[in-house]
């Protein structure tokens, strides 16, 4: 018997679960209600997630996972699923032969061999509206960057990024919740860590004080005014404080606390990387991956329910299986950044740590071999994410949980799309 949870996943924007499972032909899937149907009570009722539309059926013979060295899907994940998979939702995987035949990728092409799900171009009307509102907030309301950095702000294309990552956001106001936080996080990275004068020296103090803009200081009457004044003392703190105020007004207390926790994880990862930088230490590959589990995109996809206008209950978010799925998602999508930003980072002074470089240094292989192995690491993480997410949806088919899993998967797809198409920032190495 097919599961309503699996049907909802397969009809979603990202194709979640379609490659993490083996497919077997099934009876036609029931028609999914039109977009805008009311959210059902929390149950396993056979209803679609709001904001989805029925996908046309296509024939689906038995399909096996692409071969990825060292990765085995547990037998529990070989599940019967319906064949309601759209052509646009099909994952893209290139084996070695396909990679060799494809030749050198052109500007804006995906990385050859990288497992990903192509998405449609984000709605240009939404992108334009979101970009304009976001720019007013960043450049005028919080004075985040000086006017001479406007070109780089525009080149980041945050509006296109967020529209791609949150296809079920009900409004521009909902998208702005994610966009402000994304811009603020990027500013902290720029100002404190990297491009715009950042340094590992003293980073812990700067991050701690900035974190109090997200997680307020509770102190005595005498010292509270000094802390409050500090919130506007530099651009990153102004941005964090403002973005978090908007977020907490829209989010539930548990969603806000979840985000603060994920930001603490992020800042811990920043500190580990800074410590290695100060010591000129190249970590072991497993150590680097541990750091990247904290210094990664996790805070972004875990607010997908707030941006979507609903809440994943805290008891479901805290499930060990959900925590594993979220961790795998964050790890996979962050390796996407390592791969697409590789050439940009090599142009910076010194040895910039990313997964291809660490593999090359620690395993004694060429830069090209390190890069291509990093692609395989990403692919294994993505396949594991999809298998675990699909299994969780089957074992706990609560509509809000399933919708959240689809939202996280959509965020991964949008994140890849943005990295692939942002040719202002990224170019691929000449490895093919």
């Amino acid at each position: 018997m097919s599961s309503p949870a699996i049907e909802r996943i397969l009809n979603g924007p990202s194709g979640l679960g379609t490659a993490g499972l083996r497919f077997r032909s099934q009876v036609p899937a029931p028609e999914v209600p039109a977009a805008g149907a009311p959210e059902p009570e929390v149950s396993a009722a056979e209803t679609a997630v709001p904001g989805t539309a029925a996908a046309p059926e296509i024939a689906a013979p038995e399909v096996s996972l692409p071969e990825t060295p060292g990765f085995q899907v547990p037998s529990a994940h070989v599940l019967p699923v319906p064949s309601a998979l759209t052509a646009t939702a099909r994952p893209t995987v290139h084996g070695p032969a396909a990679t060799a035949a494809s030749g050198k990728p052109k500007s804006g092409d995906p990385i050859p061999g990288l497992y990903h799900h192509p998405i449609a171009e984000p709605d240009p009307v939404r992108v334009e509206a979101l970009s304009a509102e976001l720019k007013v907030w960043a450049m005028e309301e919080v004075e985040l960057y000086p006017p001479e950095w406007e070109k780089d702000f525009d080149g980041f294309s945050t509006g296109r990024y967020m529209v791609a990552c949150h296809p079920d956001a009900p409004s521009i106001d909902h998208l702005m919740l994610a966009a402000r936080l994304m811009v603020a996080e990027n500013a902290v990275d720029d100002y404190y860590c990297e491009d715009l004068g950042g340094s590992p020296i003293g980073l812990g103090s700067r991050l701690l004080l900035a974190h109090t803009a997200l997680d307020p200081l509770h102190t005595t009457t005498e010292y509270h005014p000094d802390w409050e004044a500090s919130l506007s003392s530099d651009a990153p703190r102004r941005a964090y404080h403002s973005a978090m105020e908007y977020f907490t007004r829209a989010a539930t207390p548990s969603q806000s606390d979840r985000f603060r926790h994920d930001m603490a994880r992020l800042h811990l990862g920043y500190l580990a990387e800074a410590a290695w930088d100060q010591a000129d230490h190249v970590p072991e590959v497993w150590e680097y991956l541990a750091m990247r589990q904290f210094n990664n995109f996790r805070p972004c996809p875990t607010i997908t329910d707030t941006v979507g206008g609903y809440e994943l209950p805290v008891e479901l978010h805290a499930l060990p299986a959900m925590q594993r799925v979220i961790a795998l998602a964050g790890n996979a999508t962050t390796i996407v950044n390592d791969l697409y930003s590789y050439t940009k980072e090599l142009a910076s002074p010194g040895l910039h740590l990313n997964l291809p470089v660490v593999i090359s240094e620690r395993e004694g292989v060429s830069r090209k071999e390190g890069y291509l192995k990093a692609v395989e690491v990403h692919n294994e993480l993505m396949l594991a994410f999809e298998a675990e997410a699909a299994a969780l949806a089957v074992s706990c088919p609560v509509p809000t949980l399933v919708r959240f899993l689809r939202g996280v998967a959509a965020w991964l797809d949008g994140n890849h799309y943005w990295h692939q198409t942002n040719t202002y920032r990224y170019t691929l190495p000449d490895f093919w």
Side-chain angles (χ1 to χ4, degrees):
M1 295 292 291
S2 64
S3 161
I6 286 293
E7 290 164 9
R8 284 192 291 269
I9 290 173
L10 292 177
N11 288 332
S14 70
L16 168 62
T18 59
L21 308 171
R22 289 189 175 89
F23 289 74
R24 301 184 189 135
S25 298
Q26 297 288 312
V27 296
E31 185 176 349
V32 180
E39 182 93 3
E41 295 293 324
V42 175
S43 69
E46 295 190 18
T47 54
V49 174
T52 64
E57 289 187 81
I58 60 171
E62 183 166 333
V63 179
S64 295
L65 278 170
E67 292 185 6
T68 302
F71 178 72
Q72 297 291 328
V73 178
S75 59
H77 297 152
V78 182
L79 303 169
V81 295
S83 60
L85 173 63
T86 66
T88 57
R90 288 184 181 276
T92 299
V93 181
H94 303 281
T99 300
S102 65
K104 182 178 179 179
K106 301 184 294 294
S107 178
D109 280 353
I111 294 169
L114 190 77
Y115 176 77
H116 68 282
H117 297 269
I119 67 169
E121 187 72 19
D123 177 5
V125 175
R126 274 201 158 191
V127 170
E128 183 178 0
L130 179 61
S131 299
E133 187 170 337
L134 183 62
K135 192 169 184 177
V136 171
W137 173 80
M139 307 302 286
E140 299 178 19
E141 188 173 335
V142 297
E143 298 179 337
L144 186 54
Y145 295 111
E148 57 266 29
W149 293 347
E150 183 175 356
K151 182 179 179 182
D152 286 337
F153 179 84
D154 292 341
F156 197 88
S157 302
T158 309
R160 189 162 56 91
Y161 198 168
M162 294 297 94
V163 173
C165 286
H166 296 285
D168 69 340
S171 69
I172 297 299
D173 287 341
H174 287 82
L175 287 166
M176 278 293 292
L177 299 174
R180 291 188 199 93
L181 290 169
M182 165 68 78
V183 169
E185 292 159 28
N186 193 58
V188 168
D189 193 30
D190 283 344
Y191 278 104
Y192 287 179
C193 306
E194 293 189 15
D195 299 334
L196 305 178
S199 168
I201 300 171
L203 178 60
S205 174
R206 294 192 297 275
L207 284 177
L208 174 65
L209 297 178
H211 194 81
T212 68
L214 305 172
D215 198 349
L217 177 64
H218 300 277
T219 189
T220 63
T221 304
E222 179 182 359
Y223 297 110
H224 185 271
D226 292 337
W227 165 74
E228 193 169 40
S230 77
L231 298 177
S232 60
S233 61
D234 67 4
R237 273 184 274 189
R238 287 196 301 273
Y240 261 4
H241 181 54
S242 175
M244 193 65 185
E245 281 197 322
Y246 281 106
F247 185 78
T248 54
R249 286 200 291 267
T252 67
S254 67
Q255 287 174 321
S256 297
D257 192 58
R258 180 204 307 170
F259 179 75
R260 293 186 187 103
H261 189 185
D262 282 345
M263 290 301 293
R265 286 182 166 113
L266 176 67
H267 293 156
L268 180 61
Y270 284 175
L271 293 175
E273 189 172 24
W276 292 337
D277 188 13
Q278 284 186 276
D280 289 325
H281 172 66
V282 178
E284 298 289 348
V285 176
W286 73 266
E287 291 177 312
Y288 179 82
L289 292 170
M291 180 274 291
R292 271 314 219 175
Q293 181 161 309
F294 293 85
N295 178 5
N296 77 10
F297 286 106
R298 179 179 175 131
C300 302
T302 56
I303 64 170
T304 186
D305 54 340
T306 309
V307 181
Y310 67 100
E311 181 180 20
L312 175 69
V314 63
E315 62 273 16
L316 296 180
H317 178 263
L319 289 171
M322 177 62 79
Q323 289 298 301
R324 174 166 166 75
V325 165
I326 292 170
L328 287 167
N331 293 348
T333 197
T334 302
I335 302 307
V336 166
N337 180 263
D338 275 15
L339 293 166
Y340 278 98
S341 65
Y342 176 81
T343 303
K344 177 176 178 284
E345 291 175 350
L346 285 186
S348 61
L351 183 68
H352 195 111
L353 293 184
N354 53 50
L355 183 57
V357 167
V358 172
I359 291 174
S360 176
E361 292 286 321
R362 279 299 186 176
E363 299 186 358
V365 298
S366 69
R367 288 290 191 253
K368 176 179 178 179
E369 290 171 310
Y371 189 94
L372 296 179
K373 185 169 182 180
V375 171
E376 293 302 319
V377 171
H378 164 271
N379 291 353
E380 183 172 333
L381 290 169
M382 272 292 288
L383 291 169
F385 159 72
E386 293 191 342
E388 297 287 344
L392 176 57
V394 170
S395 66
C396 186
V398 177
T400 51
L401 180 143
V402 175
R403 184 178 180 185
F404 183 83
L405 291 174
R406 288 181 47 216
V408 172
W411 201 95
L412 267 64
D413 296 342
N415 177 71
H416 173 268
Y417 162 86
W418 176 82
H419 279 86
Q420 173 196 329
T421 58
N422 194 332
T423 55
Y424 178 83
R425 291 175 60 86
Y426 305 122
T427 57
L428 298 184
D430 188 13
F431 288 157
W432 298 276

